[in-house]
Amino acid sequence: MRVGISILLSVISLFTYAQSAGLKGIVSDESGKPIPFSNVYIADTKQGTSTDINGEYSISNISAGTHKVVVSSIGYLKHTEKITFSTTQIVLDVQLKVSSEELSPVDITDRPEQTSVYNRLKNIDGVAIYAAKKNEVIELKNITANLSSNNARQVFARVPGVVVWENDCAGLQLGVGARGLSPNRTSNFNTRQNGYDMAADALGYPESYYAPPMQAIDRIEIVRGAASLQYGTQFGGMINLKLKEGKPEKKFSGSTMNTYNFIGKDHGYFNTFNEAGGQIGKLNYYTFINFRKGDCNCPNSDFSANTNYAHLGYKFNERLTLKLDYTNMQYLAQQPGGLTDALYDQDPYQSFRTRNFFYVNWNLIAADLDFQLNERTALNSRTFTLIGSRKALGIRSNPGRVDNLGDPRDLLVDYYRNVGNETRLLHKYKLWDKPSAFLVGFRAYRGYTEKTQGYGSNGTDADFEFETDSLGLKSDYKFPSYNISLFSENIFNITDRLSLTPGVRYEYIRTTADGFYDSSVRIPNTGEIVIDSATYEMRQSSRSIVLFGLGLAYRLTEKLELYSNFSQNYRAITFNDMRVVSPSAAVDPNLQDESGFNLDLGVRGELGKAFTMDAGLFWLSYNGRIGSVLRVVGDEFFGDRLVRYTTNVADANILGTELYLESDLMKLFHIESKNFRSSLFVNFAYIIGTYHNSEQPAIEGNRVEEVPKVNLKTGWSISYKDIKASLQYSFVSDQYSEATNAETSPTGIYGIIPAYDVLDLSLSYSIKMFNFEGGINNITNNTYFTRRADGYPGPGIITAAPRSIYVGVGVKF
């Protein structure tokens, strides 16, 4: 009897234990919305489950004792909690917070504080994948620099290997290159504003005549050559200038900053930047007006520029957001022309061109749609168009030649009519019980350029009308281009530390040239027509290419990551430069496309609490690199002459090491202060570029042009409350301007670009609603130049600005 009772009591006890020792609940986000397919498991056991479509879960038969419960989901911070289980069922409802990193576990989860200028893109940012890619982010809201002059030298100082062309004192055009890629209007990067194209023609003429004011930019995102898989095939990669939006916490806010730049003794300009924005209900808005007027560091350098921008964003609900942008920029600049080496040595700030002018009218329109299909799937679609023009007027011959008043000037007029759409879908899922992410995208683009060249007026003003009645046109072409792209990437988390990111991109490209050029026979030097004729042509090229890439990331520690990426690159040649007649330059009519790859290997993250770093090696390989050589050519306009001849020079290898190191000095020296901050950064690149497989023995083994071996930037920033100061030093070693590695030339169009260094100081102070800024650029007043131009704004040596002082006063409201 007693035995039977004991057995019965034991059975009841076991039954009760099995029923009650359990865990159930709901997993949701901070708004209370259920998160399906979340993981819930007991850390020291094999028990676990996933939430259903309603976010609900249940785990039974949990042994008595204290266990760690872990709840996780892709895109959210992991939740852990210790719970003591006995004989009762426990209800645990968990609200997960959105993670600053959208892919876990292989990621660098901690980022520099928001006060840092330098940052990196997340592995997944919006609907783009950046895992294992070399990238940098410059937070302009945290920088102390001369933004009123669009000083790219200061803004891009934290990006290793970057070379900046300093064409004018006000930054009317952005000239940035890296790793041996020409900075000419940033044409070797896919340049974007808010994620959409802003260049003249992404395929037919990828040069950016427009640059937004730095004061309007929130952040600059740079992705190196591995961006080819998602953003186009350019060797340089992608630069995205992300403009500000209205502050969501305010219905209205605005500011004005008015700055004057004193350049040298007799030159300078005024800049006024005015912005307003805010959030009214579901509507976000932002607008700015920027006006710049003055002259630069020499005579004949007057300019006037207006830039206007409007942004509207409407959040229909938690899933759907629509953004609309409109940008207009107009500027007229007188261009002083370039110098020969002899003239530069005589006086680097003199000018011999009084009748050269340049005019740009740029209109960008874009619609951006974000749609969150569900917790794991997001769609973005951008539709954009460019309606723009550029007009160049003047004398483009040897800078040593006298500009005779009364002679007709050369006039080039371009019109751009482009439209495109880029749509992306990102889906997060689990594979082998690990979080993964899949991206697929589509791009359709039509570029249309009209280019006309002829004789302009013989006057001295900015008259952009052709003198066609008596002299005719030199050329008149239409350049339509079409591009269809399909691309895909996927992040596979192999382990908690290792991830692989393969990708593929398909490109269909068709470029066309339809028009005529003047093929008249003329007497050399006089230009007298012997045979009056024109040649009409219709040229078309279509190609389909497939690019592959593979990224690898390995987390060495919680804050340190090893990364590597291999991506193929391709650059299609364009027709629109081939029929431009220039006395100092010529283009090979049999120019071929470029192909090659970028390979990166590096380590990045945080060393201790005081250091942020990114150190790596890279290899950029070209097949049939397009470059410039010195060659004697003859034609009907100018006779035999020595020119910079653009052709497929040879294959090229560009290898180097890039290092970025920043230290928070307060943390380094264990100083605690809420008001005082100080940091020091060093940015160093050592790069060697050489030609090989050349058909010209004089080029074999030569240095690739525009590749300085040493590129060093360093700076110190300090702030106390609302007082900020920044001191920055730049050094760039010598480089060649073309592939023959000529040291000098009588025209100044080709030759070496000597090493130069620049020291800049920037200051700012805020008190209540007032802001004050000031500083000195080129403190030591060094004389230097960064380019030798073969056309506008030269030809010849373009001297960089001497010492300049700027002061500004602003108001926030």
Side-chain angles (χ1 to χ4, degrees):
M1 181 73 174
R2 292 180 179 176
V3 174
I5 293 173
S6 298
I7 293 173
L8 180 59
L9 291 174
S10 298
V11 171
I12 293 172
S13 176
L14 289 171
F15 180 79
T16 304
Y17 176 81
Q19 289 294 314
S20 60
L23 181 70
K24 69 176 184 179
I26 298 175
V27 179
S28 61
D29 61 18
E30 292 177 282
S31 67
K33 185 183 298 182
I35 304 176
F37 312 115
S38 301
N39 298 315
V40 184
Y41 62 94
I42 313 301
D44 57 346
T45 73
K46 295 183 178 180
Q47 294 173 284
T49 187
S50 295
T51 59
D52 61 18
I53 195 68
N54 298 313
E56 298 178 357
Y57 73 94
S58 178
I59 303 175
S60 58
N61 299 326
I62 302 173
S63 60
T66 301
H67 302 288
K68 182 187 291 185
V69 178
V70 180
V71 183
S72 65
S73 183
I74 298 175
Y76 297 88
L77 292 173
K78 185 183 296 183
H79 175 87
T80 61
E81 187 171 337
K82 287 186 178 181
I83 297 178
T84 300
F85 294 90
S86 58
T87 59
T88 58
Q89 190 174 48
I90 294 176
V91 177
L92 177 64
D93 293 335
V94 176
Q95 285 193 337
L96 297 180
K97 295 181 179 180
V98 175
S99 172
S100 60
E101 295 299 320
E102 294 187 336
L103 188 68
S104 179
V106 179
D107 212 343
I108 303 298
T109 56
D110 292 329
R111 295 295 181 192
E113 297 178 26
Q114 290 300 309
T115 55
S116 175
V117 174
Y118 177 87
N119 211 329
R120 285 184 295 277
L121 290 162
K122 296 182 288 187
N123 281 352
I124 296 179
D125 202 317
V127 287
I129 291 178
Y130 300 112
K133 294 179 174 63
K134 174 77 170 181
N135 66 80
E136 295 91 6
V137 175
I138 306 301
E139 306 281 359
L140 268 74
K141 57 182 174 291
N142 298 327
I143 199 170
T144 304
N146 188 0
L147 301 184
S148 67
S149 67
N150 271 20
N151 194 315
R153 179 183 70 241
Q154 295 182 29
V155 170
F156 285 86
R158 286 171 167 80
V159 184
V162 160
V163 175
V164 174
W165 273 1
E166 300 179 30
N167 297 310
D168 61 78
C169 63
L172 298 176
Q173 296 177 10
L174 185 64
V176 175
R179 299 181 173 181
L181 302 168
S182 173
N184 188 31
R185 301 187 185 96
T186 321
S187 58
N188 284 287
F189 282 93
N190 183 293
T191 52
R192 300 187 170 207
Q193 176 179 281
N194 295 336
Y196 49 82
D197 291 29
M198 60 181 243
D201 184 338
L203 292 171
Y205 194 49
E207 299 189 5
S208 298
Y209 288 98
Y210 155 75
M214 296 290 184
Q215 291 164 303
I217 299 175
D218 181 61
R219 68 198 306 218
I220 300 176
E221 302 167 344
I222 305 105
V223 185
R224 300 305 179 95
S228 60
L229 298 180
Q230 289 189 56
Y231 293 102
T233 62
Q234 290 281 38
F235 280 83
M238 184 273 296
I239 292 180
N240 182 36
L241 309 175
K242 191 175 185 305
L243 303 188
K244 299 176 183 176
E245 295 184 0
K247 296 179 180 179
E249 70 276 11
K250 292 187 177 182
K251 291 185 178 181
F252 176 82
S253 66
S255 70
T256 178
M257 176 58 74
N258 303 279
T259 309
Y260 193 85
N261 287 260
F262 301 87
I263 304 172
K265 296 180 180 179
D266 306 313
H267 305 279
Y269 73 93
F270 173 72
N271 176 85
T272 178
F273 177 79
N274 308 277
E275 62 181 347
Q279 179 97 21
I280 302 175
K282 296 182 178 182
L283 178 67
N284 185 280
Y285 67 98
Y286 176 78
T287 184
F288 72 77
I289 299 173
N290 178 230
F291 174 71
R292 286 170 275 178
K293 182 177 178 61
D295 63 357
C296 286
N297 48 288
C298 62
N300 309 312
S301 60
D302 292 353
F303 68 87
S304 176
N306 285 280
T307 308
N308 306 293
Y309 172 79
H311 162 84
L312 293 175
Y314 191 80
K315 191 171 185 177
F316 293 90
N317 51 50
E318 291 299 320
R319 295 181 175 229
L320 182 63
T321 302
L322 176 64
K323 298 177 181 180
L324 301 174
D325 291 353
Y326 173 68
T327 308
N328 171 256
M329 179 184 190
Q330 297 184 56
Y331 71 82
L332 174 65
Q334 188 174 10
Q335 298 189 321
L339 302 173
T340 65
D341 288 72
L343 292 172
Y344 177 82
D345 292 338
Q346 180 186 82
D347 180 1
Y349 304 111
Q350 59 184 320
S351 169
F352 295 92
R353 294 288 181 261
T354 62
R355 303 189 299 148
N356 287 15
F357 294 90
F358 200 84
Y359 174 76
V360 170
N361 185 355
W362 223 250
N363 295 273
L364 292 170
I365 306 170
D368 190 314
L369 182 70
D370 281 307
F371 183 52
Q372 191 75 32
L373 280 73
N374 53 50
E375 298 297 332
R376 294 170 173 259
T377 308
L379 175 76
N380 174 264
S381 183
R382 292 187 177 105
T383 301
F384 49 92
T385 185
L386 165 66
I387 303 172
S389 65
R390 57 85 96 170
K391 301 177 181 180
L393 173 70
I395 303 297
R396 298 190 300 151
S397 59
N398 185 324
R401 175 194 162 188
V402 177
D403 178 7
N404 295 313
L405 296 179
D407 287 350
R409 293 170 288 178
D410 196 26
L411 175 60
L412 292 93
V413 176
D414 293 2
Y415 292 99
Y416 311 105
R417 304 288 186 270
N418 309 325
V419 63
N421 174 270
E422 191 169 282
T423 300
R424 300 158 176 267
L425 179 74
L426 180 77
H427 177 67
K428 301 173 185 177
Y429 65 100
K430 290 188 67 176
L431 182 66
W432 305 312
D433 202 35
K434 299 291 182 184
S436 299
F438 172 72
L439 179 145
V440 63
F442 168 81
R443 175 182 169 93
Y445 181 85
R446 180 186 184 272
Y448 186 80
T449 300
E450 296 182 25
K451 183 182 288 286
T452 305
Q453 182 179 9
Y455 294 94
S457 75
N458 58 5
T460 60
D461 60 348
D463 180 1
F464 295 102
E465 297 295 326
F466 286 104
E467 296 289 339
T468 56
D469 294 339
S470 59
L471 298 174
L473 293 175
K474 296 180 182 179
S475 65
D476 189 1
Y477 275 88
K478 296 178 176 62
F479 301 100
S481 63
Y482 300 89
N483 172 223
I484 294 176
S485 305
L486 297 171
F487 53 91
S488 179
E489 285 194 83
N490 199 110
I491 302 179
F492 295 102
N493 280 306
I494 308 303
T495 71
D496 288 348
R497 292 180 177 269
L498 175 66
S499 72
L500 295 178
T501 308
V504 62
R505 185 182 183 95
Y506 166 78
E507 290 267 342
Y508 170 77
I509 301 170
R510 189 176 80 185
T511 51
T512 303
D514 183 8
F516 75 88
Y517 66 94
D518 186 351
S519 55
S520 301
V521 177
R522 300 169 183 263
I523 297 175
N525 300 323
T526 68
E528 181 181 346
I529 297 176
V530 178
I531 301 176
D532 191 358
S533 66
T535 298
Y536 291 84
E537 62 178 350
M538 169 68 176
R539 303 175 65 187
Q540 188 174 98
S541 176
S542 299
R543 61 282 251 179
S544 296
I545 59 172
V546 179
L547 303 179
F548 295 95
L550 178 64
L552 178 150
Y554 183 78
R555 190 175 63 186
L556 299 170
T557 69
E558 286 297 321
K559 298 183 179 181
L560 203 60
E561 178 188 54
L562 178 70
Y563 67 94
S564 180
N565 195 289
F566 169 85
S567 293
Q568 291 180 295
N569 300 91
Y570 182 88
R571 190 180 187 194
I573 61 113
T574 61
F575 292 132
N576 57 8
D577 272 340
M578 293 187 180
R579 291 305 179 191
V580 174
V581 180
S582 173
S584 58
V587 180
D588 184 351
N590 299 311
L591 203 63
Q592 301 297 312
D593 297 343
E594 294 176 310
S595 62
F597 62 82
N598 272 270
L599 176 63
D600 278 285
L601 173 64
V603 59
R604 62 191 174 195
E606 297 182 27
L607 297 173
K609 296 182 178 181
F611 292 96
T612 298
M613 58 87 68
D614 189 343
L617 306 171
F618 75 87
W619 176 15
L620 193 160
S621 176
Y622 280 97
N623 296 320
R625 174 183 163 94
I626 296 174
S628 299
V629 297
L630 302 181
R631 180 174 295 183
V632 176
V633 300
D635 62 32
E636 60 273 19
F637 290 101
F638 304 105
D640 292 340
R641 69 195 194 282
L642 185 66
V643 299
R644 182 184 289 183
Y645 190 75
T646 300
T647 185
N648 296 99
V649 174
D651 296 339
N653 284 319
I654 301 174
L655 299 97
T657 180
E658 297 172 334
L659 168 68
Y660 178 82
L661 182 65
E662 182 174 355
S663 175
D664 185 325
L665 299 180
M666 304 298 289
K667 293 180 180 179
L668 180 64
F669 295 107
H670 306 288
I671 302 173
E672 294 187 7
S673 174
K674 294 181 179 180
N675 298 321
F676 189 78
R677 294 181 180 274
S678 183
S679 66
L680 179 70
F681 81 88
V682 177
N683 162 6
F684 174 78
Y686 183 80
I687 303 174
I688 297 177
T690 55
Y691 282 114
H692 62 98
N693 296 333
S694 175
E695 296 180 359
Q696 304 181 52
I699 294 177
E700 184 71 21
N702 279 7
R703 285 172 56 182
V704 175
E705 64 270 25
E706 294 161 350
V707 182
K709 285 187 177 180
V710 177
N711 192 331
L712 172 67
K713 311 286 196 316
T714 184
W716 176 46
S717 298
I718 187 171
S719 66
Y720 178 73
K721 293 185 178 180
D722 294 321
I723 303 173
K724 298 179 182 180
S726 176
L727 186 66
Q728 181 178 298
Y729 174 77
S730 304
F731 171 80
V732 179
S733 65
D734 62 8
Q735 54 189 293
Y736 291 103
S737 61
E738 44 70 53
T740 57
N741 289 184
E743 296 286 335
T744 186
S745 68
T747 64
I749 298 169
Y750 51 89
I752 202 166
I753 298 174
Y756 62 90
D757 63 317
V758 190
L759 185 65
D760 301 311
L761 172 67
S762 300
L763 306 166
S764 71
Y765 174 59
S766 298
I767 178 170
K768 295 183 179 180
M769 62 185 299
F770 296 98
N771 300 308
F772 303 92
E773 67 175 18
I776 306 174
N777 294 337
N778 192 3
I779 293 175
T780 55
N781 201 27
N782 288 357
T783 302
Y784 66 100
F785 62 92
T786 61
R787 69 173 298 192
R788 295 175 181 264
D790 56 21
Y792 293 111
I797 294 172
I798 309 299
T799 309
R803 178 169 49 225
S804 63
I805 300 172
Y806 71 97
V807 293
V809 179
V811 178
K812 288 185 178 181
F813 47 87

